[in-house]
Amino acid sequence: MIPPTDCIEFINPATGAKFGEVRMTTEAEVMTARREMAAAQSVWAAKSVKERARLVKKLQSVMIDATDEITAVVNRDHGKSRLDAMHEVFMTVEKIHHYTAHAPRWLARERVPRGLYFFKRFYAEREPYGVVGIIGPWNYPIDLMVPPIISALLAGNTVLVKPSEVAAATGVLLETLINRVPELSPFVRFLHGDARVGQALVRSKPDLLFLTGSVKTGQIVA
């Protein structure tokens, strides 16, 4: 059980000073988020790939406009220089550009060889998984968490995101940035907290789990 009053503190590793906190998501809230994202998925999947790409592209503009805000949070959350944080922003923005530009071709219906069936045509069509759970890392939480969120959305999935508790302030910031794109925010839900929240996410049985982390954590999740 995760008490509804449990919080993750934001600690600056360079100074040891606390600069904020976020309330942990309870297991009941995780299960509710799982059901809500399942219900919303058909609405999102009904949009064309080009329309999804157009909406996702708005997050790129939000991130560019918020570069100073992002680098300030990463600086306090990780002890990285703001220049290093800026590099992570630029890498992420470039990936959003790349993914949105190519998604319509990558996800298009593809004709496949018909073999001996001379009078038939065969096609491969890509279908969304449904609800994708993403467990993010602490070391590059923007560059290693935003691209899988974007990939899942472009493919027609809704997303449950569990940021690393070691990068909790950055996770809250990413939630804020996505909420600035109201066309996207109904299809992405952030679950803040420690390993107990990650375990609750796994128990909620998303249709696909994406993990960036240690081999040990991967084995536990598997």
Side-chain angles (χ1 to χ4, degrees):
M1 291 290 295
I2 305 169
T5 55
D6 273 16
C7 292
I8 295 290
E9 295 184 340
F10 306 156
I11 304 296
N12 186 329
T15 65
K18 176 182 173 180
F19 63 95
E21 64 182 24
V22 62
R23 185 183 67 81
M24 286 178 50
T25 306
T26 66
E27 181 156 4
E29 289 169 336
V30 172
M31 298 304 171
T32 298
R34 169 69 175 87
R35 290 192 297 270
E36 291 176 349
M37 289 299 95
Q41 191 269 329
S42 60
V43 176
W44 179 250
K47 300 180 187 296
S48 69
V49 178
K50 287 186 178 180
E51 176 65 4
R52 290 179 223 148
R54 185 185 71 82
L55 297 176
V56 166
K57 188 82 171 175
K58 293 186 176 185
L59 181 61
Q60 184 184 47
S61 298
V62 167
M63 292 189 68
I64 292 171
D65 291 341
T67 297
D68 284 347
E69 181 183 359
I70 297 170
T71 58
V73 170
V74 171
N75 174 252
R76 297 179 75 186
D77 203 21
H78 300 265
K80 293 181 181 180
S81 72
R82 295 189 70 166
L83 179 60
D84 282 346
M86 188 180 297
H87 289 160
E88 190 172 351
V89 173
F90 288 167
M91 288 190 294
T92 304
V93 165
E94 172 58 27
K95 287 177 182 177
I96 295 175
H97 170 74
H98 185 70
Y99 290 5
T100 54
H102 292 281
R105 178 171 58 84
W106 289 341
L107 297 170
R109 187 173 75 160
E110 181 182 0
R111 191 169 176 178
V112 296
R114 59 188 174 184
L116 296 176
Y117 292 91
F118 299 118
F119 303 106
K120 294 182 181 291
R121 292 182 179 180
F122 295 88
Y123 298 90
E125 294 192 26
R126 286 132 180 106
E127 296 290 337
Y129 283 97
V131 180
V132 174
I134 296 174
I135 300 176
W138 63 268
N139 52 345
Y140 283 90
I142 297 173
D143 183 50
L144 294 179
M145 200 151 55
V146 173
I149 293 172
I150 295 307
S151 301
L153 287 171
L154 288 170
N157 304 283
T158 50
V159 188
L160 295 169
V161 187
K162 192 276 179 191
S164 170
E165 64 271 25
V166 185
T170 306
V172 171
L173 172 65
L174 289 178
E175 181 179 27
T176 300
L177 296 177
I178 288 179
N179 285 341
R180 290 177 189 172
V181 186
E183 299 94 337
L184 289 184
S185 58
F187 308 106
V188 182
R189 191 68 55 82
F190 278 76
L191 312 171
H192 301 286
D194 58 22
R196 290 173 292 173
V197 178
Q199 291 164 2
L201 171 58
V202 174
R203 284 194 293 272
S204 76
K205 296 184 178 180
D207 299 297
L208 180 73
L209 264 172
F210 184 101
L211 166 71
T212 302
S214 67
V215 172
K216 180 180 178 182
T217 302
Q219 290 171 335
I220 292 171
V221 170

